[in-house]
Amino acid sequence: MARARFPAHRFFPSANAGKRGFSLLPFRFDRLPDGRERLVNEVGESAVLPPGTVRALLEGGIAPGSDIYRALRARQFLLESLESPQLDILATKYRTKNSHMDEFTQLHMFVITLRCDQACQYCQVSRVGAESDKSRFDMSLDTADRSIDLMFESPARHIVIEFQGGEPTLNFATIQYLVERGRSLEASKGKDLRIVLTSNAASLSDDQLAFMNNHRVCLSTSLDGPVHVHNQNRPRIHENSYDLAVRGIDRARAALGFENVHALMTTSKYSLGYPNEIVDEYVARGFRSIFLRRLNPYGFAAKPQPLGGYTPEEFLDFYRAALDHILALNLQGVYFEEVFAKILLTKILTPFPSSFVDVQSPSGAGIKCVVYNYDGRVYASDEARMLAEMGDDSFLLGDVHTDSYEAIFSGPAIRALTSISVNQSLPGCSDCAYQVFCGADPIRSYTTQRDVYGHRPTSEFCRVNLAVIRHLFDLLENRKELKPIFMAWIRQHPVDECLMASGVRLQ
Amino acid sequence: MNLVFGGRASWPIADPYFVGRVVRDGPATGSASSVLVTDSEELLRHAAGYRAIITSRLLTEGDLRGLSSPCPVYHEVSGLGSLQAGHIIGAFRGQPSFRILYRPESHFNVIFATARCNSNCIMCSQPASDRDDGDLVPMNIELIGLIEEDPPVICISGGEPTLLGDDLLKMLAALKDKFPSVPIHMLTNGRRFSDLSYAREFRTAAPDNISVGIPLYSAFQDVHDYIVQAPGAFDQTTSGFHNLARVGVPLEIRVVLLRDNVLDLSDLGDYIYRNVTFAGHVAFMGLEPQGHALANMTEVWIDPLDYAEPLECSVRFLALCGFRVSIYNLPLCVVPESIRKFCRQSISDYKNVFIEECALCVARDRCAGFFALGKRHHSRGVLPLSSI
């Protein structure tokens, strides 16, 4: 008789090793408001389990073959023995989760000039007017040359060049030089270049757009929201800043192709009142995504102003409202991503890391991104450069005129920075359940808390990241209909398109 | 459509098996790679040089002794109409039946590597036997030599082919030599590939376009091991996945759908995405009601209507993750509409039929239909579709 031939009890792993009967692998956990426990391990696998589960795991109260045992073994939280071949699989997953470090420095930012023709009220960068002395504030061709030579020494195969400022187009000659040099050397250096120009787009001429198109340069411009929000944040004297931005976007789309024009917003205190309107503006303009960015506490943005600062909680209220609105649109069939959520969801829902340098461990500063300043000095990040503009050179890595690639990219400055930016060994982070989804930002800690290690309980970086990560986990748990939408964001295609693409038989 | 032919066998020689290409009704002198199929008395009396002779006539002892050259003879065989010239057939000494081993016109050719298996799945449609089938290896290598034109695809199955060890590598080398670019798909439980050195040898011996199809029934080790009836199988198979990826062999994961695993399909989807991210294809398979599955029907059978929801969820999730996904062996009408596009016509031509409910269905030419031997066990939800 079939049943007698297939006794079920033989296949539960036998409880033989020690009191517990199994070995635990590294994990951390969070207690949810209702007492349930969310366990997360080193590779981002997670499970929400009944109150008391962790204690039961430690004290041997979880029986092999139980639902909890099964769920945790499938996710490699526990194994019958540490000689298990499952450990090799876990090792592969761990390498995968940390593969963001493989290519080393990929994002190379060139500060083309400090001059700018606008005076955005939250600007972190420049109060140098457009008519200022070019020789003092523009990147020279010589500096540009040395910088791009250093860039090509990076081991990364896929490199992103980003032109920044001030307003970079005020020194278009240097942009032109770098683009032409980059494209001409790309193949022989074995690199694949993506080139992005960040610009307020107001003064891009037809010739400049044609040049960009010929050399496959994308545009990243600012659009803070509908007209009143944009003009409040980014005023221009005698002109309507919003009209200029929109016209710039339209002209750039016509010249470069729709998909090669991106927009970024910054959230000011004024913006906080208009989450839905800002999202609607992006949708109306035909964008597929928005990055809901918090104001960074650097430069001019750090100065107390009536329109300047806001608390993390105020930002989070704004963020959750805007995200809610975005999700409602997606459920109605409108494909639209929120980029910060997408970055975190990539880490939560996939075996892969994310390449966003601001939420990485070790911190991306220096090892994933680097800034070549107009004067040739090299900084670990944009924030490090802004700190220098305010007189603090703590995160200066070197100078393109005097230092070699080795001195800049593996010298004492970058080593000191990297060694304190691994969140597994930072106080607070080392015990955090969400460690693998988050990152470290020692430069921000230094700037806001005067300590490179940072003080987690008062860290706004921690408060905001933790709240958003928890919020996303709650959404995944309580609203099952959102998971396909989040997966579609990660794939960067609407759900229907992803489903159409699948399904050719191997044979 | 028949692959096995029964009759009376006469083996006047010591050869353990015969294999050869069918030649119908002449010439009188044949070759060692050919098998004569004829009912002509004249031809039967004068035939010489053939590897074997097949006839539907009744031959007496005297008739057999009177044949021109000694070779295996199968007589009183019925249904010979379906044997075509060019088919490659074979049999073992002592068996009263012979099989078609290869049909040039078919897309479903399977090289049967061995009947032995180191697993014993509770729903296995082709339960293992422990008999010594070492002669299958030289027979299959001869078979490969007899195939004339590049087949569109060849499948290798069993039992568990990797139990042949080095003999499997020999067979693969013969295939690689003769058909270097033909796609080969091998069905295996993957457990032997937990040994990385064997995985490497496999990759080296095998043709470039080899891929493997390996079952994974659950994310939960104890459930998988129970279904497979082999402790340790889950760990061996999943290690095997990784070693195959290391040596560069494309992988298809096959998930047979039975009562013991369907409710956990979404856990399995998550497990596959996070642990076997490199899999090229995931195939969900309806139960084939044969062998152990038939014996264990009350335990393993579940109406596809009753697992429609977890199946839809898993298929959509894996497709969204970027896997190629297919559904095999389920008729279109019992599969949720949103995932019908993943259904394939997977049942081998010689096994496939429709039932009376299908008479007015407009989707028959796109539908997998049913297993001929399993017509009695089908979903309560079979109904003709009026649009597709």
Side-chain angles (χ1 to χ4, degrees):
Chain A
M1 197 48 237
R3 240 309 164 197
R5 284 200 304 206
F6 301 121
H9 67 84
R10 276 166 55 205
F11 300 103
F12 298 141
S14 55
N16 52 17
K19 176 179 100 159
R20 221 186 278 127
F22 51 81
S23 295
L24 287 172
L25 292 164
F27 72 90
R28 284 157 294 280
F29 72 104
D30 187 22
R31 246 183 258 282
L32 303 191
D34 62 8
R36 288 180 303 156
E37 295 161 6
R38 178 178 291 132
L39 283 64
V40 187
N41 73 2
E42 298 282 348
V43 298
E45 296 263 20
S46 67
V48 174
L49 295 167
T53 297
V54 175
R55 182 173 292 282
L57 276 171
L58 294 170
E59 294 176 348
I62 302 292
S66 63
D67 284 347
I68 291 179
Y69 188 96
R70 280 198 177 126
L72 291 177
R73 202 224 192 244
R75 293 165 175 77
Q76 291 122 9
F77 279 78
L78 55 78
L79 290 169
E80 291 74 45
S81 102
L82 291 178
E83 267 90 55
S84 169
Q86 290 292 312
L87 221 46
D88 171 64
I89 294 176
L90 184 58
T92 298
K93 290 163 76 170
Y94 189 79
R95 277 195 300 277
T96 305
K97 232 356 161 182
N98 289 284
S99 58
H100 56 287
M101 293 188 274
D102 288 354
E103 287 231 337
F104 202 58
T105 321
Q106 287 185 277
L107 176 58
H108 297 257
M109 295 175 271
F110 294 74
V111 180
I112 299 295
T113 177
L114 205 54
R115 295 183 294 127
C116 190
D117 55 353
Q118 283 200 190
C120 304
Q121 51 98 357
Y122 49 64
C123 182
Q124 312 165 82
V125 172
S126 175
R127 282 291 186 258
V128 173
E131 302 313 311
S132 305
D133 181 359
K134 295 177 192 184
S135 65
R136 275 186 66 203
F137 298 114
D138 282 12
M139 178 183 270
S140 69
L141 293 182
D142 177 59
T143 303
D145 212 26
R146 292 166 188 272
S147 304
I148 198 171
D149 282 347
L150 279 171
M151 180 196 90
F152 273 119
E153 286 195 66
S154 169
R157 170 151 161 65
H158 300 99
I159 288 185
V160 179
I161 292 177
E162 209 172 86
F163 299 125
Q164 296 185 347
E167 172 46 55
T169 54
L170 294 176
N171 180 12
F172 205 84
T174 300
I175 291 175
Q176 205 161 335
Y177 177 78
L178 285 167
V179 170
E180 282 168 347
R181 192 152 168 75
R183 288 290 181 219
S184 72
L185 288 175
E186 189 176 6
S188 63
K189 297 279 187 185
K191 306 295 186 202
D192 175 15
L193 292 182
R194 192 170 114 78
I195 307 181
V196 182
L197 167 65
T198 62
S199 165
N200 60 42
S203 51
L204 272 177
S205 73
D206 287 340
D207 283 346
Q208 289 169 341
L209 282 171
F211 175 83
M212 286 171 71
N213 187 42
N214 289 339
H215 293 87
R216 291 176 290 125
V217 178
C218 302
L219 175 70
S220 176
T221 189
S222 289
L223 182 67
D224 277 14
V227 53
H228 61 102
V229 175
H230 187 92
N231 285 347
Q232 178 68 49
N233 290 351
R234 306 175 66 90
R236 285 177 82 99
I237 311 172
H238 307 311
E239 288 169 301
N240 186 322
S241 174
Y242 172 84
D243 283 347
L244 278 175
V246 168
R247 214 182 313 147
I249 288 169
D250 289 340
R251 286 179 63 231
R253 278 173 167 167
L256 307 178
F258 206 89
E259 64 287 355
N260 292 319
V261 178
H262 308 280
L264 284 176
M265 59 81 81
T266 307
T267 312
S268 69
K269 186 153 178 105
Y270 185 81
S271 309
L272 293 180
Y274 302 98
N276 293 9
E277 291 80 355
I278 292 170
V279 171
D280 288 341
E281 176 69 23
Y282 268 68
V283 175
R285 294 273 142 229
F287 290 107
R288 281 161 52 105
S289 69
I290 190 169
F291 194 148
L292 295 172
R293 303 197 304 171
R294 247 191 98 216
L295 255 185
N296 287 331
Y298 303 107
F300 310 101
K303 293 186 179 164
Q305 296 175 35
L307 296 171
Y310 46 79
T311 65
E313 280 66 37
E314 286 173 305
F315 174 76
L316 287 165
D317 285 340
F318 164 83
Y319 181 86
R320 282 186 286 252
L323 181 62
D324 218 49
H325 186 60
I326 289 170
L327 292 171
L329 286 168
N330 275 273
L331 287 168
Q332 289 161 30
V334 177
Y335 180 83
F336 192 81
E337 304 163 12
E338 199 286 304
V339 178
F340 187 50
K342 183 173 77 165
I343 287 162
L344 293 170
L345 288 163
T346 301
K347 302 203 215 198
I348 292 170
L349 293 175
T350 84
F352 302 107
S354 158
S355 56
F356 180 57
V357 303
D358 286 357
V359 190
Q360 267 184 3
S361 169
S363 162
I367 64 172
K368 292 303 294 174
C369 66
V370 73
V371 175
Y372 307 100
N373 208 6
Y374 64 93
D375 58 6
R377 307 178 101 195
V378 183
Y379 295 96
S381 70
D382 227 18
E383 287 70 34
R385 167 178 70 112
M386 290 170 208
L387 217 48
E389 291 292 336
M390 300 199 297
D392 187 334
D393 257 356
S394 299
F395 302 102
L396 170 72
L397 297 182
D399 192 314
V400 304
H401 300 106
T402 53
D403 297 322
S404 68
Y405 178 86
E406 286 70 27
I408 294 171
F409 288 96
S410 69
I414 195 171
R415 283 170 191 274
L417 179 57
T418 310
S419 68
I420 42 117
S421 77
V422 179
N423 70 358
Q424 285 145 318
S425 55
L426 292 175
C429 303
S430 64
D431 301 316
C432 180
Y434 305 105
Q435 181 195 102
V436 67
F437 310 120
C438 196
D441 196 339
I443 299 177
R444 178 186 294 252
S445 302
Y446 175 84
T447 308
T448 55
Q449 300 181 304
R450 292 204 201 96
D451 179 290
V452 286
Y453 297 93
H455 182 245
R456 234 58 61 205
T458 55
S459 161
E460 297 194 351
F461 178 76
C462 177
R463 204 129 104 227
V464 171
N465 287 351
L466 189 54
V468 175
I469 291 170
R470 277 186 172 137
H471 183 63
L472 292 173
F473 266 103
D474 288 343
L475 286 176
L476 283 166
E477 192 164 328
N478 299 321
R479 298 181 61 187
K480 301 290 182 201
E481 73 277 13
L482 296 181
K483 190 165 173 188
I485 289 173
F486 290 148
M487 291 305 304
W489 286 3
I490 290 167
R491 295 287 312 285
Q492 312 221 123
H493 287 290
V495 173
D496 287 339
E497 269 178 45
C498 296
L499 294 179
M500 283 305 294
S502 168
V504 175
R505 205 160 35 148
L506 247 173
Q507 290 184 344
Chain B
M1 174 74 252
N2 199 22
L3 285 189
V4 181
F5 299 81
R8 292 179 186 281
S10 153
W11 282 77
I13 51 173
D15 289 6
Y17 67 86
F18 82 83
V19 61
R21 229 181 277 120
V22 167
V23 166
R24 296 197 73 111
D25 299 316
T29 309
S31 75
S33 61
S34 305
V35 172
L36 176 64
V37 176
T38 187
D39 286 342
S40 148
E41 270 196 84
E42 176 88 21
L43 208 43
L44 282 171
R45 234 177 300 126
H46 294 113
Y50 284 100
R51 188 69 171 272
I53 295 173
I54 316 286
T55 182
S56 63
R57 281 182 171 279
L58 191 155
L59 300 179
T60 65
E61 279 298 316
D63 293 329
L64 289 167
R65 263 182 275 122
L67 297 178
S68 291
S69 58
C71 68
V73 177
Y74 281 75
H75 55 112
E76 275 182 82
V77 181
S78 52
L80 282 178
S82 57
L83 258 188
Q84 295 172 29
H87 282 178
I88 302 174
I89 61 177
F92 289 100
R93 183 164 209 268
Q95 281 182 339
S97 55
F98 62 88
R99 278 196 305 129
I100 301 182
L101 302 176
Y102 182 86
R103 294 173 294 146
E105 76 281 5
S106 169
H107 286 241
F108 292 94
N109 284 303
V110 179
I111 295 179
F112 185 71
T114 176
R116 290 177 292 128
C117 190
N118 54 348
S119 294
N120 193 24
C121 302
I122 60 178
M123 72 299 179
C124 182
S125 58
Q126 197 155 6
S129 80
D130 262 333
R131 69 165 189 270
D132 174 19
D133 53 10
D135 290 326
L136 257 180
V137 174
M139 184 205 259
N140 281 328
I141 291 182
E142 264 202 75
L143 163 63
I144 290 165
L146 288 172
I147 298 172
E148 284 180 309
E149 284 176 12
D150 275 30
V153 62
I154 291 183
C155 187
I156 300 175
S157 186
E160 175 47 52
T162 58
L163 287 179
L164 296 175
D166 285 347
D167 280 343
L168 174 62
L169 304 179
K170 250 193 268 174
M171 249 175 66
L172 292 170
L175 276 168
K176 183 173 184 170
D177 195 54
K178 182 136 188 216
F179 301 115
S181 55
V182 168
I184 314 279
H185 191 58
M186 188 176 93
L187 301 183
T188 166
N189 58 36
R191 294 167 61 193
R192 182 85 197 261
F193 296 117
S194 57
D195 173 359
L196 179 59
S197 59
Y198 188 72
R200 278 205 194 101
E201 289 173 339
F202 179 84
R203 172 71 273 176
T204 308
D208 288 351
N209 287 339
I210 191 149
S211 60
V212 295
I214 299 180
L216 184 67
Y217 301 118
S218 176
F220 305 129
Q221 163 265 328
D222 59 320
V223 176
H224 177 91
D225 284 0
Y226 168 72
I227 291 174
V228 161
Q229 288 290 299
F234 177 87
D235 284 351
Q236 288 166 354
T237 293
T238 52
S239 291
F241 290 157
H242 278 244
N243 286 338
L244 288 166
R246 281 188 173 98
V247 303
V249 175
L251 169 68
E252 166 191 89
I253 295 180
R254 311 180 103 202
V255 185
V256 176
L257 300 163
L258 57 153
R259 179 177 291 278
D260 301 80
N261 72 346
V262 287
L263 297 178
D264 299 327
L265 280 183
S266 73
D267 287 294
L268 180 56
D270 283 340
Y271 183 88
I272 290 172
Y273 180 49
R274 288 182 181 270
N275 295 272
V276 207
T277 322
F278 43 83
H281 184 212
V282 182
F284 292 91
M285 305 175 55
L287 204 56
E288 186 173 351
Q290 207 179 321
H292 283 331
L294 203 50
N296 293 327
M297 266 324 237
T298 45
E299 159 154 10
V300 302
W301 166 259
I302 174 170
D303 191 320
L305 288 186
D306 296 329
Y307 60 71
E309 195 253 310
L311 179 64
E312 183 173 24
C313 196
S314 253
V315 166
R316 288 175 67 96
F317 171 72
L318 289 169
L320 259 181
C321 290
F323 293 95
R324 281 175 303 164
V325 185
S326 297
I327 299 170
Y328 293 162
N329 307 345
L330 289 178
L332 292 168
C333 52
V334 310
V335 167
E337 209 197 321
S338 83
I339 56 172
R340 278 185 194 151
K341 63 164 86 70
F342 298 98
C343 291
R344 314 290 166 212
Q345 289 177 284
S346 53
I347 298 180
S348 308
D349 47 7
Y350 62 91
K351 295 194 217 177
N352 156 271
V353 298
F354 290 91
I355 63 179
E356 68 180 62
E357 283 87 330
C358 308
L360 292 174
C361 181
V362 306
R364 282 172 64 130
D365 60 0
R366 250 229 78 212
C367 182
F370 302 85
F371 287 100
L373 289 175
K375 271 167 71 172
R376 283 196 323 276
H377 290 103
H378 58 78
S379 170
R380 65 186 185 274
V382 178
L383 42 75
L385 296 177
S386 50
S387 69
I388 183 68

